[in-house]
Amino acid sequence: MRILLVDDDEILIDILEKTLQNQNYTIDAVMDGQQGWTYVSTYNYDLIILDWSLPKLDGISLCKRIRHYGYNMPIMILTARHSSQEKSYALDVGADDYLCKPFDIEELMARIRALFRRSQSYDQSSPLLNWGNLYLDPCICQVSYQGNTVQLTTKEYQLLELFLRHPHEVFNIEAIIENLWSSIEYPSEATVRSHLRHLRQKLKQAGLSENPIDTLRGRGYCLKSQPMKTEIKTEQNTLVFPSEIEKEKHLQQLTALNNIWEKYQDKRQEQLNILQTTLNQIKEQKINKNQLKKAIDNCHKLAGNLGVFGFNEASYLASQLEQLLKENLENKLDKIKQFETILNNLIWQINPQEDQQLNPLSNQIIDHCPLILVISEDVQFKKLFNQEAVKKGIITVTMTDLETVKIWFKSLEKEQFPDVVIMNIAFNQWQQELIEEYLAFITELNLQTPPIPSIIIGDRYERNFSHRTSAQERLLIAEKGGTFYLKKPLTPQEAIKFCQIALKRYAQGRKIMIIDEDEELLRLLPIYLQPWGFNITTLHDTRQFWDVLCAIAPDVLVLEIEMPYLNGIEICKMLRTHAQWYQLPIIYYTKHTEPIILEKAFNSGVNDIIPKTLTERTLAQRIIKNIESTLCL
């Protein structure tokens, strides 16, 4: 579903874009009413969300113009205006819904889903979309077949939802792009067909005997007629697992909000400085209309977005400041004093002192954050590490010995395993047998799919006591698959830093583009690499290379050396001279082993060469290492 956001608050736009994209919506965003009209009259939208107070053309005037010209998509007014008269007026001139700032993200999403249901022709008594026993639940963005979850990428999900919501319509490639890609994206026809092909493959793998999407040659694609549903006795119980899915979605939402909060720290400080300057000018009776308007606008925006971040009290204070500024404060000493008190309170709320709690978002994220296992006999280190982890929004489990750890692991499901393991190995003090047990455990962690990063903290090297040199210890850890080998003394802050690096190394969702003329290989690789959580795009025709590259902006490019039209070496050389792509990690995954060809390959600027005789696991591990090397740049 495609949504247009019209709001002049860049922080709020950032929040809404991240939130809606997490729910698989396609988003365009503009910051004034006139630009909003240009987009409405140019592109097709399923929903428009707009603020009342906009530059150039206010939201109500834009709403009137949209309805005057016959556009009937749902319109939601998202504004800080709270009066009943304003709500009634907005709804009377053509708005379908009205939500006041600050708002709750979950309520916003529920209202959006309700607007979509009312605007579509399917059964409104249930939010579920279905084709036989294939179900799509837009509330939790889950697809299932006969009670089993079907894992889809964002675009695959959007494609399926588009056809299910419009079961009697035919969509050509251009129409699909217009519905599912934003105005700043330019996918090629090959990209769209690739997403369609992957969607069909995944549905077939899920057990659908019939392909639900029909190809009408010369016209496009459409949903086939509904098949007969088979009885599933446990359908109501096994169709979805909302608690786990909602937890994951909630984590994504909180993390995105927290990142945005950190991103706009300087912007918030600038807004507070404007309010402080305004107060000083009012006291000195030097205030001008432009400064006053800027201060009111800042209060309005702060009131609108602080509540979304969980700062409800601060949002209320900003609203009070806005109302005071709309009065004439000159020579009103009591009002000026009230303004100053509220402003100081607002500053204290937004910029808490060091001994205060974390911001509300960080406190919530702690309930959904990464899990780190610490294995050490050092009680003081574990205590300090736990304290530092809480500040960073990380959950820790601490244990003293490996035997306890192994018992704990046996009690866990695979998805409950820790995200990182930190362990202390006392090479200078332990018996060799115990050291070997820890080294074997490191290997076990590395053989998990995907691997669990391990960070080893060793004793400070003492030449006259240790039976190994420091370099030998480091090499031994590396051979066993350890992620980092650190030496004492080590602060908890330093340990947390390396945990965060390790988490980034194995982060899911990295975009991998694979190019090869072998279509069978391209069909199988995404299946084999699925456990690592990569977002994979494949291409077998290099004539579409530039279009697809620009459309998906991959984190790593994997390609064969020898291909028709444009070979891998030529592609690599071109990218190494390109201002945007010269640092893109490139891996040759090739059948060639001839020294002459390999020499040319290395000279082309490639990062890695992997023979196709090696396992897909090796390919995945080398992709991860090349991603990590990019993060360290």
Side-chain angles (χ1 to χ4, degrees), residues 281 286-293:
Q281 290 180 346
K286 295 180 180 178
I287 190 71
N288 59 63
K289 290 183 178 179
N290 288 336
Q291 180 68 24
L292 183 61
K293 183 178 182 303

Side-chain angles (χ1 to χ4, degrees), residues 422-612:
I422 297 179
M423 65 186 83
N424 176 228
I425 298 182
F427 284 100
N428 290 336
Q429 302 172 32
W430 290 355
Q431 294 182 359
Q432 183 62 28
E433 183 179 350
L434 181 58
I435 293 174
E436 292 296 335
E437 287 183 17
Y438 273 79
L439 294 175
F441 183 60
I442 295 170
T443 302
E444 290 177 25
L445 294 175
N446 191 51
L447 291 175
Q448 294 294 324
T449 304
I452 299 175
S454 57
I455 298 175
I456 293 82
I457 302 173
D459 291 331
R460 183 165 42 195
Y461 174 56
E462 299 176 13
R463 180 176 297 275
N464 295 328
F465 187 78
S466 177
H467 61 287
R468 291 189 182 95
T469 67
S470 180
Q472 287 173 330
E473 290 173 6
R474 190 173 300 280
L475 178 59
L476 182 61
I477 295 298
E479 289 175 342
K480 298 297 181 181
T483 307
F484 291 114
Y485 182 51
L486 311 176
K487 283 285 192 178
K488 292 182 178 180
L490 183 74
T491 66
Q493 291 84 356
E494 291 170 331
I496 289 285
K497 173 187 172 184
F498 282 99
C499 286
Q500 291 171 326
I501 294 172
L503 286 168
K504 285 183 179 179
R505 169 188 288 190
Y506 293 99
Q508 293 196 352
R510 294 289 178 177
K511 293 181 287 187
I512 313 300
M513 182 175 174
I514 304 177
I515 310 175
D516 201 301
E517 63 175 329
D518 185 346
E519 294 189 54
E520 180 65 15
L521 177 70
L522 295 182
R523 185 183 69 81
L524 293 173
L525 275 181
I527 299 172
Y528 293 147
L529 298 175
Q530 186 272 335
W532 281 266
F534 298 132
N535 188 350
I536 296 175
T537 298
T538 61
L539 182 68
H540 77 278
D541 188 343
T542 56
R543 289 174 292 186
Q544 302 288 337
F545 166 69
W546 281 109
D547 289 339
V548 178
L549 178 78
C550 295
I552 69 170
D555 296 298
V556 174
L557 178 63
V558 178
L559 64 164
E560 173 61 271
I561 293 176
E562 185 178 336
M563 293 181 290
Y565 307 116
L566 196 62
N567 65 48
I569 292 176
E570 291 170 335
I571 290 175
C572 188
K573 286 181 177 179
M574 286 192 298
L575 291 177
R576 291 300 177 239
T577 64
H578 197 284
Q580 180 179 354
W581 304 109
Y582 72 96
Q583 287 186 316
L584 175 68
I586 300 174
I587 298 172
Y588 290 143
Y589 187 52
T590 180
K591 60 183 180 244
H592 287 287
T593 57
E594 302 88 336
I596 296 178
I597 294 179
L598 294 180
E599 183 179 356
K600 288 182 179 179
F602 274 115
N603 292 335
S604 67
V606 73
N607 297 79
D608 204 351
I609 299 180
I610 304 172
K612 285 182 177 175

Side-chain angles (χ1 to χ4, degrees), residues 63 145 305 330 428 565 583 629:
C63 183
Y145 179 66
N305 63 53
E330 290 186 76
N428 290 336
Y565 307 116
Q583 287 186 316
S629 66

